Amino acid sequence: MSQKKITKKYYQILKKKIQMFSKQYYTYDSPTISDHEFDELYKELKFIEEENPSFISSDSPTQVIGSKIRGGFKKVRHTKPMMSLNNASNIDEFNSFYEKIITEFSKKVVMYAEPKFDGLAIALTYNNGVLLSAVTRGDGNEGEDVTSNIKTIQGLPLKLLTEKTPKRLVVAAEVYSLITDFQRINETLKKSKMKKFANPRNFAAGTVRQLDPVVAFKRNLQIYIHGVIDIDSHLSLPTHSESMAYLSKIGFPTCNLNKKINDINEAINYFDDISNKRVKLPYEIDGIVYKVNSYELRDLIGYTSKAPKWSIAFKFPSQISQTKIVDVTFQVGRTGTLTPVAELEPLSIGGVNVTRATLHNLDDIRKKDIRINDYVYVKRAGDVIPEVEKVNLSKREKTTEISMPMKCPACGETIIKISNQSIYKCPNESSCKPQIVQSIGHFASRKAMNISGLGENIIITLVDSALVKNYSDLYYLTYDHLIKLDRMARTSVNNLIDSINKSKQPNFDKFIYSLGIREVGLSTARVLSQNFNTLDELMNAKREFLESIKDIGPIVADNITNFFSMSSNVKKIKKLISSGIEVNYLEHLANKLLSNRSFVVTGSFNKISRREIEEIIISNGGKVSSSISKKTEFLVCGEKPGSKLDKAKKIGTKILTEEEFFKIL
Ligand code: IVH
């Protein structure tokens, strides 16, 4: 290494140079220096940093382009839940959202409107102005630590541009891709005959959730910030627009289309204006998010268990085009249900190529009178599977009626009709391939056992090679089994085994969900986990008891008892348990504390804000309403409570002080 005196200035120039060369290389695939020259510069930078650790800044290429992430992403619990948004899909739904706020809370309400970016949500935490972590939304309570990949995003400050940095700052951001980057990578994938990404959002999400930061860097991800989740209170930021201006000032990328809205007319004009600009934007948006601007008013309006009541996502209407149905095929779903699919003369809807559309079920086909050879209108909305909307009867010529097949198109088994429902099913659960593959996919999916590295192609290979007959076999796979399979290299085998092992302590609700019981989604699974102490209890539950649980109807109760009465299912569960799976019942006990209890919170508190109390209630399974009714069980009451306390006393609602509330917890 040269003996010249290294100054900080020299270091910074070298750093800038390397940043430029890496962008040329990784992002644009057009390097202007050789790999060797690049390596030499990089080595010099690293050497200087070793000699002068005080020079190292978090945006240095040595810090940003780290090594591959080993053994998958770490799970992290969000300190505050990341909520989702309620949707409005037409003007009436939007009007009623607006009207409700105006009539119930404030005659004049200022909103803040932002494009709804079609990407994935991330929580970014900064400690003393330095980026500490980037965590995906996950299920809202727990996400994955994807910091190494997020750090590669060029526009994201790793260090904030302010002297008076907040001690702790958590912001919500959307990671997305430019349409051109999505197309560029898809071209490359096509050339190497690999599977392409379906849309820019999947591309961005796939990039964030893969393990090599160099790949993330090459794909040129983008980010923009859409809100503050947590910030030191000494900064006085009473409104969202002021927070956004502050965030932009200290270096965060925000969207320059955001706008303050004073009344409903301005809201509609903004919607129309952005709808017109939409096709020219370099990224995809799927609607407009309207948010009440004042934080005080937000607190008054409150939250449901999933989403704030002070915000709404007004989605752009779906796009419709016309084409011809050339054939109808039938897809076998995870539980054996057949779904008719229209095979179309290919068409482009809003820039996306469409060749197939769902026809839902036979009832729907008859209702809309859809036949083979008909010209039909096909609708595509966001990420949803395209569907056939209606027939253009004026173009009808020679058509053929659609009928359900007698035999399963996948395994040949005789199809049965579920009485009174328009559902046709292949009953061959244990050996009909699409059913097996999809039930394993469901079991391994993120919301279930969260086994990463188990995509559909690998599952098909595992099933074809007879190594796996159902999901319980996954836990008996060994390195020697997997390494023999096509396209499985050492690293992917190790990662897969690692990820299977890591999934062995599922929370009770996720375990129930992963079993794939008909109509038992995650929220029903959660309800079940709160009503049974152990898996054994659930397996032996009587139908009557299940039905007595709030939110469980007779059909779901039947599905549950049927599932556990089948010896093949009991065998699978036993096999899972003997492989070393230990169901974690602790979390659900905590959730049970406040499960389905209804609260109202009023007044101001000493230790904690009203909003934080509400969040604690929600994350422990309780419900928070904004006004007292007969259904309210508890009023958590701070200082200067106002009329809610009087009403609670009148109705007889139990009143808790701040201390009493925490004692209950
Ligand atoms: S605010 C508590 N603003 O949409 C509300 N979300 O459907 C937090 N999104 O999870 C969300 N653009 O990933 C907000 N301008 C925007 C957004 C936005 C996109 C995403 C976000 C959220 C999802 C909800």
Side-chain angles (χ1 to χ4, degrees):
M1 209 46 64
S2 66
Q3 287 307 305
K4 62 183 165 256
K5 173 145 175 35
I6 305 293
T7 59
K8 183 145 191 199
K9 184 137 201 229
Y10 175 83
Y11 165 79
Q12 278 168 337
I13 293 172
L14 180 64
K15 186 175 84 180
K16 284 246 151 59
K17 233 167 152 180
I18 298 177
Q19 281 168 338
M20 179 188 77
F21 288 133
S22 27
K23 190 152 180 129
Q24 286 173 350
Y25 178 78
Y26 290 125
T27 311
Y28 300 113
D29 269 342
S30 56
T32 53
I33 57 171
S34 71
D35 285 4
H36 177 70
E37 283 168 308
F38 183 87
D39 288 346
E40 287 302 308
L41 291 175
Y42 188 87
K43 259 194 242 160
E44 186 180 357
L45 191 79
K46 213 163 163 72
F47 176 77
I48 300 175
E49 287 182 349
E50 272 160 22
E51 296 291 301
N52 305 279
S54 67
F55 287 4
I56 307 179
S57 59
S58 53
D59 67 342
S60 159
T62 61
Q63 309 295 305
V64 172
I65 317 165
S67 48
K68 290 195 186 181
I69 302 145
R70 281 169 213 278
F73 299 110
K74 217 172 59 208
K75 294 228 188 80
V76 181
R77 253 196 120 64
H78 295 293
T79 43
K80 294 199 170 172
M82 285 185 83
M83 304 194 101
S84 69
L85 290 171
N86 289 327
N87 287 333
S89 38
N90 54 49
I91 187 77
D92 291 342
E93 288 174 11
F94 179 71
N95 275 339
S96 67
F97 159 79
Y98 207 97
E99 284 295 312
K100 192 167 164 42
I101 294 180
I102 300 241
T103 47
E104 288 182 22
F105 297 97
S106 163
K107 258 199 225 122
K108 181 158 170 45
V109 51
V110 177
M111 295 264 176
Y112 195 75
E114 306 168 3
K116 186 168 188 300
F117 277 60
D118 209 2
L120 80 154
I122 299 274
L124 302 166
T125 302
Y126 287 77
N127 269 7
N128 297 315
V130 176
L131 176 66
L132 182 76
S133 69
V135 179
T136 60
R137 177 171 180 270
D139 63 6
N141 292 314
E142 186 181 85
E144 289 178 318
D145 184 333
V146 290
T147 316
S148 317
N149 284 340
I150 297 300
K151 271 188 170 178
T152 68
I153 301 178
Q154 302 285 303
L156 181 71
L158 303 176
K159 219 171 158 183
L160 302 179
L161 302 171
T162 166
E163 297 284 287
K164 278 192 266 152
T165 49
K167 262 211 181 90
R168 181 180 154 78
L169 170 65
V170 188
V171 291
E174 197 77 1
V175 175
Y176 64 98
S177 286
L178 297 179
I179 297 170
T180 46
D181 286 319
F182 155 73
Q183 288 166 337
R184 173 172 63 88
I185 299 291
N186 262 358
E187 276 306 307
T188 325
L189 292 173
K190 195 170 143 194
K191 274 189 207 137
S192 32
K193 299 213 161 52
M194 280 157 75
K195 199 169 166 228
K196 295 197 287 180
F197 288 99
N199 52 46
R201 192 173 72 94
N202 285 1
F203 172 61
T207 304
V208 169
R209 300 194 67 256
Q210 57 77 46
L211 298 175
D212 188 349
V214 172
V215 171
F217 190 46
K218 283 185 186 180
R219 294 195 181 162
N220 198 27
L221 291 170
Q222 310 289 313
I223 196 161
Y224 101 108
I225 310 300
H226 53 63
V228 170
I229 299 177
D230 202 0
I231 191 165
D232 302 356
S233 46
H234 72 267
L235 286 150
S236 160
L237 295 167
T239 61
H240 180 62
S241 54
E242 282 159 291
S243 295
M244 295 302 280
Y246 169 74
L247 292 178
S248 165
K249 200 177 93 196
I250 62 175
F252 283 107
T254 50
C255 178
N256 58 4
L257 298 169
N258 294 353
K259 195 168 179 230
K260 229 152 91 174
I261 299 288
N262 292 304
D263 56 39
I264 192 145
N265 286 334
E266 283 186 27
I268 306 297
N269 288 343
Y270 180 82
F271 187 89
D272 293 342
D273 179 37
I274 302 291
S275 302
N276 292 333
K277 292 194 171 114
R278 186 179 175 197
V279 283
K280 294 200 195 90
L281 294 175
Y283 44 80
E284 287 200 341
I285 59 173
D286 58 355
I288 303 292
V289 183
Y290 294 88
K291 305 169 179 177
V292 165
N293 201 28
S294 144
Y295 291 141
E296 202 185 341
L297 185 53
R298 284 186 183 186
D299 277 351
L300 271 177
I301 301 172
Y303 300 79
T304 66
S305 64
K306 289 200 191 97
K309 290 198 255 179
W310 42 258
S311 179
I312 201 149
F314 189 174
K315 296 295 213 50
F316 293 130
S318 40
Q319 294 159 300
I320 297 186
S321 289
Q322 203 184 142
T323 189
K324 186 177 173 183
I325 298 185
V326 288
D327 197 5
V328 170
T329 53
F330 296 87
Q331 228 167 34
V332 186
R334 171 167 61 86
T335 53
T337 307
L338 294 193
T339 305
V341 177
E343 304 289 336
L344 306 169
E345 247 169 33
L347 77 160
S348 163
I349 314 181
V352 174
N353 272 344
V354 175
T355 54
R356 313 176 82 201
T358 180
L359 293 166
H360 299 295
N361 53 51
L362 200 59
D363 270 358
D364 211 45
I365 291 176
R366 296 283 181 262
K367 207 165 72 202
K368 294 176 181 164
D369 187 23
I370 300 169
R371 305 184 199 170
I372 299 173
N373 283 336
D374 260 336
Y375 284 85
V376 289
Y377 295 100
V378 178
K379 180 170 103 177
R380 181 186 157 261
D383 227 16
V384 191
I385 307 164
E387 59 177 344
V388 172
E389 178 89 335
K390 64 172 191 179
V391 177
N392 180 352
L393 285 174
S394 68
K395 280 186 152 186
R396 178 172 276 177
E397 283 177 1
K398 240 186 165 171
T399 56
T400 321
E401 266 218 7
I402 299 165
S403 52
M404 296 303 286
M406 310 286 278
K407 302 275 179 203
C408 171
C411 71
E413 181 75 43
T414 303
I415 295 297
I416 52 169
K417 181 176 188 312
I418 309 289
S419 55
N420 298 330
Q421 298 176 47
S422 181
I423 295 174
Y424 291 78
K425 237 185 109 154
C426 163
N428 182 11
E429 238 170 69
S430 56
S431 50
C432 176
K433 192 166 148 190
Q435 295 189 53
I436 300 171
V437 169
Q438 289 175 73
S439 73
I440 298 173
H442 170 83
F443 180 85
S445 65
R446 202 137 57 90
K447 288 187 194 154
M449 299 294 273
N450 194 11
I451 303 175
S452 50
L454 205 58
E456 190 172 86
N457 287 341
I458 298 183
I459 299 178
I460 292 176
T461 317
L462 288 169
V463 172
D464 284 346
S465 62
L467 281 172
V468 170
K469 291 198 181 65
N470 62 57
Y471 48 65
S472 68
D473 297 327
L474 292 173
Y475 292 89
Y476 296 84
L477 289 170
T478 63
Y479 182 90
D480 290 345
H481 288 137
L482 294 171
I483 197 74
K484 289 194 194 107
L485 300 176
D486 257 7
R487 283 186 293 168
M488 286 295 274
R490 211 169 46 139
T491 330
S492 32
V493 170
N494 282 331
N495 284 345
L496 180 55
I497 294 202
D498 219 39
S499 161
I500 292 176
N501 283 334
K502 273 202 191 126
S503 73
K504 282 188 165 175
Q505 270 123 21
N507 288 345
F508 192 19
D509 54 347
K510 300 211 167 170
F511 185 76
I512 299 171
Y513 172 69
S514 68
L515 297 175
I517 307 168
R518 236 188 131 86
E519 287 177 58
V520 175
L522 202 50
S523 59
T524 307
R526 205 159 282 160
V527 171
L528 290 171
S529 77
Q530 288 163 354
N531 283 278
F532 293 93
N533 289 312
T534 62
L535 180 61
D536 265 350
E537 263 185 31
L538 170 65
M539 289 172 74
N540 294 314
K542 295 267 177 304
R543 197 179 165 286
E544 295 70 34
F545 179 69
L546 284 163
E547 250 195 81
S548 72
I549 299 173
K550 190 169 169 285
D551 297 332
I552 309 260
I555 295 181
V556 176
D558 259 351
N559 290 343
I560 297 169
T561 43
N562 283 345
F563 182 89
F564 291 118
S565 71
M566 283 168 69
S567 62
S568 56
N569 289 330
V570 175
K571 216 165 121 192
K572 274 192 275 186
I573 294 171
K574 285 200 171 137
K575 200 165 167 189
L576 286 172
I577 302 296
S578 13
S579 77
I581 286 193
E582 285 172 24
V583 179
N584 176 9
Y585 298 107
L586 289 179
E587 180 118 348
H588 94 278
L589 277 181
N591 280 335
K592 212 173 164 179
L593 279 176
L594 304 183
S595 112
N596 292 323
R597 299 277 165 128
S598 56
F599 286 81
V600 169
V601 185
T602 189
S604 52
F605 297 87
N606 295 322
K607 292 195 200 109
I608 189 170
S609 75
R610 183 159 75 211
R611 185 160 159 208
E612 279 164 329
I613 294 192
E614 291 177 347
E615 275 165 7
I616 292 174
I617 295 170
I618 291 167
S619 62
N620 281 297
K623 288 183 187 148
V624 177
S625 332
S626 46
S627 56
I628 304 258
S629 72
K630 286 211 180 97
K631 285 192 195 138
T632 316
E633 282 176 87
F634 300 102
L635 174 72
V636 184
C637 187
E639 282 161 25
K640 301 200 198 112
S643 66
K644 283 183 188 152
L645 179 61
D646 302 336
K647 187 154 180 204
K649 280 183 182 157
K650 215 159 150 199
I651 301 186
T653 315
K654 188 157 175 36
I655 297 158
L656 301 172
T657 62
E658 187 175 351
E659 285 71 35
E660 284 168 335
F661 171 72
F662 283 108
K663 233 184 229 162
I664 292 194
L665 275 183

